[in-house]
Amino acid sequence: MPSGTVSHGASGRLRGLFLVMVLVFLEGSVFTVAVASSDQHSPTTAHSGGHKATDHGSHNNTGKAFPVLDLNYENVRVPFEISLWVLLASLMKLGFHLVPHLSNIVPESCLLIVVGLLVGGIIRGTGETVPPVMDSKLFFYILLPPIILDAGYFLPIRPFMENLGTILIFAVVGTLWNAFFVGGLLYGVCQIGTETSSILSRIGLLQCLLFGSIISAVDPVAVLAVFEEIHINELLHILVFGESLLNDAVTVVLYHLFEEFSGIGSVTLLKGFLGVISFFVVALGGVLVGVLYGILAAFTSRFTSHTRVIEPLFVFLYSYMAYLSAEIFHLSGIMALIACGAVMRPYVEANISHKSHTTIKYFLKMWSSVSETLIFIFLGVATVAGPHDWNWTFVTVTVILCLVARVIGVVGLTFIINKFRIVKLTTKDQFIIAYGGLRGAIAFSLGFLLKKEHFPEREIFLTAIITVIFFTVFVQGMTIKPLVELLAVKKKQEAKRSINEEIHTQFLDHLLTGIEDICGHYGHHHWKDKLNRFNKKYVKKCLIAGERSKEPQLIAFYHKMEMKQAIQLVESGGGIKMPSAVPSTVSMQNIQPRPPTKPAPERAIPQLSKNKEEEIRKILRTNLQRTRQRLRSYNRHTLVADPYEDGLSDLFLKKQKMFQIEKKLKEMNTYLTVPAPPPDSPTMCRARLASGKHTDFKPDQVQKGNKMCSDPQAYSIKPASNKVPMIQVDLASPQSPDSVNLLDEFGQANQQEEEEQGLMMKPPSRPREAKKPSEEDEAKDPQKLMRCLSDPGPSADEDEDGAFLP
Amino acid sequence: MGSRASRLLREEEIEEIKKETGFSHSQITRLYSRFTSLDKGENGTLSREDFQRIPELAINPLGDRIINAFFPEGEDQVNFRGFMRTLAHFRPIEDNEKNKNPSATEPLNSRTNKLLFAFRLYDLDRDDKISRDELLQVLRMMVGVNISDEQLGSIADRTIQEADTNGDSCISFNEFIKASFVVNIHICTVVWFPFLS
């Protein structure tokens, strides 16, 4: 812990860390007490739903006093313990990021395993049996699916497809090679057997091969956990990660094959042949199941425009069903899940609302994060718990063989693959691929599944598996980051995907397809083009609702980009940058041609850094407050009308501006093939109705930050004829900086209007209609705007298409 | 393949083409048979109609521009040499070629030449700049007829804003190269010729 620093940040973090530690200890102690008490508590205690206390009292002793406080742990035991585990996992995650430098050196997965070891140690230290947390059912049906779904849903399709051949070769051939190499050599070593390893000589060839197949699979969870932190370039990431996902089919087949053989004890050629066939069935069947469910999900999402709230649920449910359905037939559940997520994504995203999209993203990230944390903690606990049988020879030979097999496999396969690749894999790439082959919890769970009757040496296997996992996660996981730095491996480029890229990518696709057609060569691009055409013509029409089905990909991309930018703008700076960003959209409605050149310094893409924004905001706030004060002092001593007029002009300008923006948005919506919002969109209705009462406009309320309410019509698109809506600036409220900015921007814009051609700001006509002191306004407009964009209430039934900013 | 060609390819020609474009012997022969199968008039040259007869090319949005790229300035016929010269742009970049002959001109399939080829497809009037109108034309071809002009215009504006560094609201070749999209995309202007040699 940092001790010497006096800085505020360090002490704040220190406090946070301390708090987390206290919480963890509390929780840990509660946990052990719970585990302990669960044994002692007699199961015959009354438990009926109502007042268990009364039952208890009347049941046992009539003379006992009415128990005001009673302890009944059995009822809540299971959910309680589950929650404790999840809470522990989450607190650990918090804690690691509070300790300043730890997370840079040690990957999270290592820390979590250590925590698991500690917890297991504590539980064992208190004399209790460690709960068998690493139950395979729990792992495969609850913990693993979220991680895989998260990976599959957000899989970058283009690099994946481009490198599919390479990935498949690594996954299939590489895993097979690993399994047979490790298994075979291990058997040889066992058989060499001296007297001491007589235990080992009992291990048959099939058992060794089974062990080899368990230990050879690269684990997606571990790879994700480690590679997330090192930010290598996309190609390597997708190669290792794709391999870890696709080798599940191989692992499943090999596992079942060898388990079957070990059970029956006879190997025939026919069975081997059937094994090969079953590989294809497992892999392709899994993908098929996934695609089926994906299409179902996409189709369902087409009709969800009236029940937006449950949209995310469909995504999760269909994916989970795909996984389970594949597991029913012993097909590869992981591949089903990946296929389902990848297939449904483009269609579902075109159909669902923006908020559902955010929900799905965050839920998936949350679940997968918690799952991953839990898996590593459980690994630690299971290490403490599990029955171990340490055999030096076996373990060390396993570890060495795994490494050697991996290296040889990668090098050999790359040699073959490079003949077919356009962008060749360099030695550095090969090293990272080999080094990134981490083993993880899947191997452990598969080992755990082994039945003791068939495998008397199960404990030896488990110990060896755990050792390999520890070795790869700790040693390789910790050193891969410095190695990446040392070897100067290309890192991930942080540049966001720009519209240029999108256009150019499509352009190149068309170009290359054309050239391929001229050459008469049915290559990669030809088939991709055919698939795209088929997709556009038939599939999109079925699966995407409404107008969006005809939207070309470029427009959809542009739409998304503009939306993202607009949301960013409003969230960060209120309306400041909107006028400057609007020229790009204003051109859509300008009938007259734009000026051929724009002044050079004015780049419409906002580039202000956050610090500058803060400065600007501060300056504006202080200056504007002074203005307000000036007005206020005026108000007390002079005629009421005059200062209102001054203030009103500003406010009326602002109001005008809001109308303009509203109109632009409406028209922008029209152009973007999204149905324009009705003038009384639900969000606006809600916003207006939320502001309830009438209050008189009082200048001092400005200072106090009272939330003024207005007449509900204030923010209508068509201005009410006999009321002048005014926009009140709420300076003291926490959101005021943004409102303030709006005001100032409009002030500036007013002066600049001659220069900026794009802005359609008309100077307000000086004599206005009846302005009475009792008129209020909606200061909450900018605030409401922002509320529209962030979370509306969950009770709202949202019609999202264009209800808020584009 | 068949002997539809009235004129067979002579060995010296193959050698010359090999030197000029870098294709291998078998690749040249295969492409020659493709050339002759396209050449319905059997006069040793291809016209624009011959290209347009390829069905997939007709539905390709960039079809016309690609066809035009094969024909040198002002001519209407392209012979086999010209055909190969254009196709040579799409060979994979080979690293060892760099070392062979430092004094020779850049091979046709170098990265710069590939980019130049793509650039020329945007830049129809050959003024070495992609203007807003040219960009609009390309966008219109790729996007279809449903989208309004104003919306395309805003996309074009944004594209130019992102790439334009010297503020002339056109994209020059250097800006084209430097703009991030070129860096990020692997130079995929390579067609995978399946015949290795």
Side-chain angles (χ1 to χ4, degrees), chain A residues 118 248 401 493 508 529 620 680:
Chain A
L118 281 175
D248 180 61
L401 278 182
Q493 272 152 336
L508 280 182
D529 192 58
L620 290 176
D680 240 19

Side-chain angles (χ1 to χ4, degrees), chain A residues 762-776:
Chain A
K762 303 185 233 353
S765 49
R766 281 286 142 182
R768 255 166 304 289
E769 308 118 296
K771 357 161 266 295
K772 304 187 213 100
S774 64
E775 270 139 24
E776 303 94 18

